[in-house]
Amino acid sequence: MVLGHEGVGVVEEIGPECKYLKKGDRVGWGYEHDCCGHCQQCLSGAETYCPERVMYVYANRDQGSFASHAIWREAFLFKIPDEISDEDAAPLQCGGATVFNALHAYNALPTETVGIIGVGGLGHLAIQFAAKMGCRVVVLSSTESKKEEAMRLGAHEFIATKGKKELKVSQPMNRLLVTTSALPNWDQIIPILAPGATIHPLTVVGGNFEIPYFPLLANAIAIQASVVAPRYIHRRMLEFAALHKIKPVVQTFPMTEAGILEAMDKLEKGEIYFRAVLKPQ
């Protein structure tokens, strides 16, 4: 199996049915590679939930971004705006699309207070998108270690949660993006959510999603799961990032065997800050 579910490259050849892309175009691709194009989900702009969706891992295992070349369907490639470099564009194809979709598809308003749990690969992008959408952004992390970075990225408020029984925020949160692999302590979090708030669990993790039942019921809190963005939202995400100069924080490594091994070793040790990007030599 070829690794790499998000990447950027240059079109070298096109097939006879291609209509929009041309040789030399810079394009990106993400987690979904194809869909049926005929079901209700596809026809309503929700092809990421197509019953016949073609997703990374489940199909096309001979292709990925850890490679020199790939053959993709034109309809699932995205032109990269000139304002975004290759190394900045690559992490937007899945991580950026995932957090932007949670905000955009579920109608986040600029008047909302948006909470973001975790300042990592997803969280540091979510902070930027929410802030540029005009939301008040509250970041929650276990310690103060990433406070300076979170504030630089656009957070208005930062809360360290470790060792605290009660959390205090200036305004209750209308929306909460959970970008950490571990579930938060809901006894801390639920009291600082506004009635009718929406919780978006965004990371892929095993086990069950558990949350206290009665506080959920009593405060009309909604749990809204989602995956990566459908194509029209993915395109809007790239345009929005280009306009507002949203960029991931990346560490680059050469796309060589040694470079990949170094990146994987740092990932295993938790030393990647915030996104590792492999660059061809």
Side-chain angles (χ1 to χ4, degrees):
M1 177 178 171
V2 181
L3 297 179
H5 65 276
E6 56 182 352
V8 170
V10 177
V11 176
E12 290 191 353
E13 297 290 343
I14 58 174
E17 299 300 317
C18 289
K19 298 179 180 178
Y20 306 107
L21 296 176
K22 62 183 185 301
K23 291 183 183 180
D25 284 343
R26 286 193 312 138
V27 296
W29 63 91
Y31 210 85
E32 185 174 24
H33 305 154
D34 205 351
C35 64
C36 77
H38 301 289
C39 68
Q40 180 173 311
Q41 287 72 31
C42 288
L43 296 176
S44 62
E47 69 274 5
T48 46
Y49 303 107
C50 168
E52 298 178 29
R53 63 188 178 183
V54 177
M55 293 286 206
Y56 180 76
V57 174
Y58 302 102
N60 299 328
R61 293 190 175 189
D62 59 335
Q63 300 193 80
S65 56
F66 286 30
S68 62
H69 293 76
I71 301 173
W72 297 119
R73 188 181 168 202
E74 181 189 45
F76 283 81
L77 293 173
F78 305 93
K79 290 190 70 173
I80 304 300
D82 293 339
E83 297 88 346
I84 306 177
S85 67
D86 290 352
E87 56 262 43
D88 288 337
L92 295 176
Q93 305 307 309
C94 182
T98 296
V99 297
F100 185 84
N101 185 62
L103 295 166
H104 184 73
Y106 301 102
N107 306 312
L109 298 172
T111 52
E112 289 184 353
T113 296
V114 174
I116 296 166
I117 297 182
V119 188
L122 291 180
H124 89 286
L125 290 169
I127 294 168
Q128 295 180 73
F129 279 119
K132 292 298 184 181
M133 288 179 176
C135 303
R136 180 175 182 82
V137 179
V138 178
V139 173
L140 301 100
S141 188
S142 57
T143 70
E144 298 272 352
S145 64
K146 295 180 179 177
K147 179 177 180 177
E148 184 177 342
E149 184 76 357
M151 303 303 284
R152 182 187 70 80
L153 292 170
H156 300 92
E157 200 169 338
F158 185 96
I159 300 170
T161 61
K162 189 174 182 179
K164 294 181 180 177
K165 289 186 177 181
E166 182 181 353
L167 303 180
K168 294 182 179 180
V169 291
S170 59
Q171 295 182 38
M173 299 180 296
N174 307 104
R175 192 175 302 271
L176 180 69
L177 276 59
V178 181
T179 71
T180 52
S181 55
L183 290 178
N185 178 353
W186 294 116
D187 291 335
Q188 286 181 317
I189 301 300
I190 289 178
I192 58 175
L193 295 177
T198 301
I199 298 171
H200 299 267
L202 297 179
T203 48
V204 178
V205 64
N208 296 326
F209 182 91
E210 297 182 359
I211 191 168
Y213 176 67
F214 185 74
L216 193 79
L217 184 73
N219 294 288
I221 294 170
I223 309 295
Q224 178 61 65
S226 63
V227 291
V228 293
R231 287 169 292 175
Y232 83 96
I233 293 181
H234 191 121
R235 184 181 295 179
R236 289 179 179 179
M237 178 273 298
L238 289 172
E239 293 170 350
F240 190 91
L243 178 64
H244 293 285
K245 297 179 173 55
I246 292 172
K247 297 181 179 181
V249 176
V250 303
Q251 289 176 261
T252 59
F253 300 86
M255 192 183 284
T256 60
E257 182 177 354
I260 292 171
L261 289 174
E262 181 188 2
M264 289 297 189
D265 181 60
K266 286 184 176 293
L267 181 64
E268 288 284 342
K269 294 176 180 177
E271 296 176 355
I272 295 297
Y273 193 87
F274 290 115
R275 284 289 193 174
V277 176
L278 299 172
K279 294 187 68 175
Q281 301 303 294

